[in-house]
Amino acid sequence: MFDMLFTRRFSMGHRLIHGASESCALPHGHNEFVTVRLQPTSDEPLDGKGNMPVSFQRAKGAWHKFIDERLDHALQLAEDDPLLEWFRVHEPARAARIVVTPGDPTTELMACLMMAKLNAMLAADGGVLRCTAITLQETPTNTVEFSGDPLAMLPAPRPAGQCWWRRADMSISDIATAI
């Protein structure tokens, strides 16, 4: 079976308010690398013509667009972070650029959310590929790698329609869309 790996770099800001680290309670940023491992959903042999399950361009196109246009230079906040309300009141246009997460936007949580989002995109593109692993490097010394079912790892299950990470669109929030 072939694995296709794609890496993308993006810059982000976040803060963690639920006590994991006092130094992370103030807004700060990272230059992150996300690497995804994709596998074909069937083990068909190469066809002797195109010789690939899907082109690299098709495999990574929507994903890289999502990273570049939605996650790059976005702020990640927990859905109960008071800063989110401040942005909604004082800078509603910028609030639409906030990634809203169920609890603190840790690297672990973001890896699961990003993998769920990518799998939704891949399913909508015909289900030829699936993401089997995601690696999110927060700093050169802090990296999270996840494989498995990201939806099973996420806190507080909620209806699929209320989860931006389960939709194959460019959404990064369900709260900011109500502005």
Side-chain angles (χ1 to χ4, degrees):
M1 177 86 49
F2 297 100
D3 286 345
M4 302 168 80
L5 282 82
F6 301 109
T7 300
R8 201 67 164 180
R9 179 185 180 271
F10 66 100
S11 298
M12 52 71 84
H14 71 169
R15 76 178 194 147
L16 309 179
I17 61 171
H18 292 288
S21 169
E22 185 55 35
S23 63
C24 293
L26 291 174
H28 62 285
H30 301 280
N31 292 312
E32 299 195 341
F33 289 89
V34 58
T35 300
V36 297
R37 179 180 299 272
L38 308 182
Q39 279 187 350
T41 54
S42 69
D43 57 355
E44 297 294 319
L46 298 176
D47 64 8
K49 294 180 179 116
N51 290 324
M52 63 180 88
V54 63
S55 72
F56 281 177
Q57 182 179 10
R58 178 177 168 191
K60 66 184 179 179
W63 176 245
H64 283 188
K65 182 177 180 174
F66 176 72
I67 298 293
D68 294 347
E69 295 181 11
R70 296 296 188 245
L71 294 186
D72 189 38
H73 285 84
L75 179 60
Q76 302 169 1
L77 295 176
E79 60 194 357
D80 63 343
D81 191 313
L83 278 181
L84 182 58
E85 183 61 24
W86 186 92
F87 273 100
R88 291 172 73 183
V89 170
H90 299 286
E91 297 190 44
R94 289 194 173 114
R97 293 275 301 133
I98 297 175
V99 178
V100 180
T101 62
D104 278 344
T106 62
T107 306
E108 295 85 350
L109 177 67
M110 288 305 300
C112 288
L113 295 175
M114 292 168 76
M115 186 175 185
K117 185 69 160 185
L118 176 56
N119 277 328
M121 292 173 156
L122 293 169
D125 188 36
V128 177
L129 299 171
R130 69 178 173 272
C131 181
T132 60
I134 188 165
T135 303
L136 189 55
Q137 181 185 27
E138 181 182 79
T139 69
T141 59
N142 294 337
T143 300
V144 168
E145 182 172 276
F146 179 77
S147 60
D149 179 4
L151 298 175
M153 296 302 295
L154 294 172
R158 48 188 86 188
Q162 297 176 10
C163 303
W164 61 263
W165 53 87
R166 295 182 73 175
R167 292 193 301 266
D169 59 18
M170 299 292 277
S171 61
I172 56 173
S173 169
D174 293 307
I175 295 173
T177 57
I179 296 172

